[in-house]
Amino acid sequence: MSEREEHQLKTPDSVAADAEAIEILRMWWSNKEPVMSIKPAFSDPAMFGRMLAYAANHMAHGYSVRHGMDQRTAYNQILSGLSDAIKAQNIQTVTEQSDPSGSVQ
């Protein structure tokens, strides 16, 4: 990964201080497609859906702050993109095998 340090996401202090915090998802845009590392940590998958709703709202806020967009407009565009991807029904899950140490083989 060649992202400059100033563009890398930092772990929030509140998360670093929480001994029970669980990282659930890392996502990148790579080779013109989303790539992610996931951990299905909830017993109820609906909880992950709720997290996605929170993420959409936070991202809309980010578009408002960074790009001057109206937050509600950005949120609706995010939901529209999500809806379009779900309706297309062409999302494939591709897995990369990793060894027990966590490195990809």
Side-chain angles (χ1 to χ4, degrees):
M1 200 164 76
S2 60
E3 189 172 41
R4 295 189 324 225
E5 186 174 340
E6 67 266 20
H7 294 148
Q8 292 178 6
L9 299 174
K10 309 290 189 247
T11 301
D13 292 339
S14 61
V15 172
D18 181 359
E20 296 184 22
I22 301 168
E23 184 172 34
I24 295 173
L25 170 73
R26 286 188 184 199
M27 185 180 288
W28 300 265
W29 188 257
S30 175
N31 296 315
K32 300 181 182 177
E33 66 182 1
V35 178
M36 60 201 76
S37 179
I38 64 165
K39 182 186 303 173
F42 301 116
S43 59
D44 179 4
M47 187 62 182
F48 185 71
R50 289 194 271 297
M51 284 193 67
L52 289 175
Y54 277 87
N57 192 57
H58 285 280
M59 187 61 79
H61 175 75
Y63 274 95
S64 173
V65 170
R66 188 166 186 182
H67 299 288
M69 289 184 79
D70 173 72
Q71 186 169 336
R72 178 55 56 187
T73 300
Y75 183 71
N76 288 334
Q77 288 181 4
I78 291 167
L79 294 182
S80 177
L82 179 63
S83 178
D84 290 347
I86 291 169
K87 288 177 188 174
Q89 296 183 3
N90 63 354
I91 299 171
Q92 296 180 357
T93 299
V94 178
T95 60
E96 296 180 7
Q97 298 300 315
S98 60
D99 66 27
S101 70
S103 63
V104 175
Q105 296 179 332

